[in-house]
Amino acid sequence: MIVPTSYRTHPSPLESGLRLDGKRMTPQRKRVLSLFEEIGSGIHLSAEEVHSKLTSSGERVSLATIYRTLKLLVKMTFLNELDLSEGGNRFELLSHDHPDHHHLICIRCGRTEEFENNEVINAGKAAAKNFGFKLLESSLNVRAVCPLCINK
Amino acid sequence: MIVPTSYRTHPSPLESGLRLDGKRMTPQRKRVLSLFEEIGSGIHLSAEEVHSKLTSSGERVSLATIYRTLKLLVKMTFLNELDLSEGGNRFELLSHDHPDHHHLICIRCGRTEEFENNEVINAGKAAAKNFGFKLLESSLNVRAVCPLCINK
DNA sequence: TTCAATGTTGCAAGCAGTTCTCATTACGCT
DNA sequence: AGCGTAATGAGAACTGCTTGCAACATTGAA
């Protein structure tokens, strides 16, 4: 049995975060975030993919709103934006369980795997310290070709 | 048939590299590469910047040719392509003295510093191997704020 | 030196991803 | 319920880059 969660709810983290800023809760925003929540962290969707997943399940959202919402959710730290930069940026649910993961990307099909590595994180920290920079984030992107795409 | 040596210029690495592939030496290609050579390694130019530097010094080159030439020079390993992905890719002279450097970028002013770190390279290799991917390249981008921009 | 073959160029059109404009809709405070 | 204003949808515009094509230039051979 499915409990209707959208009928009368306590304010979600999303809703209260929005309110603090004079922003509003809309069905579109709710749907985008819950898509990522359903799908789990570690899955990377492009704006286009988010849009088609929502519209094909009957939602009525415009692509422009998807872009606006994704940007907002990144700013609110619900999502993480990845610059894999072959055919559009991708977004994932920001999981506080493994905050500093890196990405292995197949440049052909876009398949992405994550991994963690403390030395990489330390290398970023060391470099920032060395030049007197204040570190924000470091991301290692490994471009590669996945097994399925190698013989194509 | 022997060609008089007085007319012969020593073929540049670019020229001989092109010839091996049945490709041709053109003034445009020569100028793009020598721009990077004059400017030195460790400086990152966008295609647009290369174009305006050349045209403003009187050369007549189209932007399309710049893109084609940059891509070619990357393939020939004269240049390195950086995906810093804020408004277009950037290119730098590939120095074989430090082949695998990573970048520390000030997100405010765009200042970029390079550093090297073997552990980062190994982490990329290990991750690729682990998932059965064929490694192409790995780049660590550290986003940070430089000392000059911190108090702004 | 001439010439044909073919690689290269400039221009403009095209493309993908993203942002902007603006009329309309609809949150959410009272 | 009404109102002020944020948010949306639709499509045009923009950006960075690529491509199709006709004109052109380099190369190697005759």
Side-chain angles (χ1 to χ4, degrees):
Chain A
M1 176 163 315
I2 294 170
V3 180
T5 53
S6 59
Y7 197 58
R8 186 177 286 272
T9 59
H10 287 276
S12 63
L14 171 58
E15 190 160 1
S16 33
L18 287 168
R19 289 221 171 113
L20 285 179
D21 240 355
K23 294 183 187 304
R24 293 171 186 176
M25 183 57 150
T26 66
Q28 291 87 338
R29 289 173 176 175
K30 201 180 294 184
R31 284 300 296 133
V32 170
L33 182 54
S34 49
L35 172 64
F36 279 97
E37 285 169 346
E38 284 159 23
I39 226 168
S41 83
I43 308 264
H44 316 88
L45 300 178
S46 66
E48 206 75 54
E49 284 168 352
V50 171
H51 183 237
S52 66
K53 271 180 197 294
L54 291 184
T55 50
S56 75
S57 72
E59 308 287 337
R60 206 176 130 269
V61 204
S62 80
L63 187 54
T65 296
I66 299 295
Y67 277 105
R68 285 187 282 235
T69 303
L70 289 173
K71 197 186 247 187
L72 178 70
L73 291 174
V74 168
K75 198 175 298 171
M76 294 176 72
T77 72
F78 285 102
L79 298 183
N80 187 24
E81 181 170 9
L82 311 172
D83 294 341
L84 311 182
S85 67
E86 308 270 342
N89 288 347
R90 293 179 164 267
F91 300 83
E92 65 180 354
L93 196 61
L94 194 67
S95 147
H96 294 285
D97 302 344
H98 22 126
D100 269 309
H101 56 270
H102 302 290
H103 293 92
L104 177 65
I105 308 115
C106 175
I107 59 155
R108 301 248 175 90
C109 68
R111 178 181 155 200
T112 305
E113 301 288 349
E114 299 180 347
F115 62 95
E116 290 173 52
N117 188 300
N118 282 322
E119 267 116 47
V120 174
I121 297 165
N122 291 333
K125 279 184 192 158
K129 190 175 178 190
N130 208 18
F131 287 95
F133 282 45
K134 179 162 170 285
L135 179 94
L136 296 174
E137 58 144 358
S138 59
S139 58
L140 178 62
N141 291 333
V142 182
R143 282 159 207 284
V145 183
C146 81
L148 296 174
C149 288
I150 281 175
N151 1 324
K152 271 199 227 163
Chain B
M1 39 203 77
I2 313 286
V3 177
T5 53
S6 52
Y7 272 98
R8 248 227 152 102
T9 48
H10 194 42
S12 64
L14 171 59
E15 190 160 0
S16 33
L18 287 168
R19 289 229 168 104
L20 285 179
D21 242 353
K23 294 184 188 302
R24 294 172 185 172
M25 181 56 151
T26 66
Q28 291 88 338
R29 288 174 177 173
K30 200 180 295 184
R31 285 180 201 134
V32 170
L33 183 54
S34 48
L35 172 64
F36 279 97
E37 283 170 347
E38 284 159 24
I39 226 169
S41 84
I43 307 265
H44 317 87
L45 299 178
S46 67
E48 206 73 55
E49 284 167 352
V50 171
H51 184 238
S52 66
K53 271 180 198 295
L54 290 183
T55 50
S56 76
S57 71
E59 311 287 340
R60 207 174 135 273
V61 204
S62 81
L63 187 54
T65 296
I66 299 295
Y67 277 107
R68 284 187 281 234
T69 303
L70 289 173
K71 198 186 242 186
L72 177 71
L73 291 175
V74 167
K75 200 176 295 169
M76 295 176 71
T77 72
F78 285 101
L79 298 183
N80 186 26
E81 183 171 7
L82 311 173
D83 294 341
L84 309 182
S85 65
E86 310 273 342
N89 288 348
R90 294 182 162 266
F91 300 82
E92 65 180 353
L93 196 61
L94 193 68
S95 143
H96 292 285
D97 303 343
H98 20 126
D100 267 309
H101 56 268
H102 302 290
H103 292 94
L104 176 65
I105 306 120
C106 175
I107 58 154
R108 301 247 176 92
C109 67
R111 177 182 156 198
T112 305
E113 301 287 349
E114 301 180 347
F115 62 96
E116 291 171 54
N117 189 301
N118 283 321
E119 267 113 49
V120 173
I121 296 165
N122 292 333
K125 280 184 192 158
K129 190 175 178 188
N130 208 19
F131 288 96
F133 282 46
K134 178 163 171 286
L135 178 91
L136 296 173
E137 58 143 357
S138 59
S139 58
L140 178 62
N141 290 333
V142 183
R143 283 160 211 280
V145 184
C146 80
L148 296 175
C149 290
I150 282 176
N151 1 325
K152 273 198 221 161

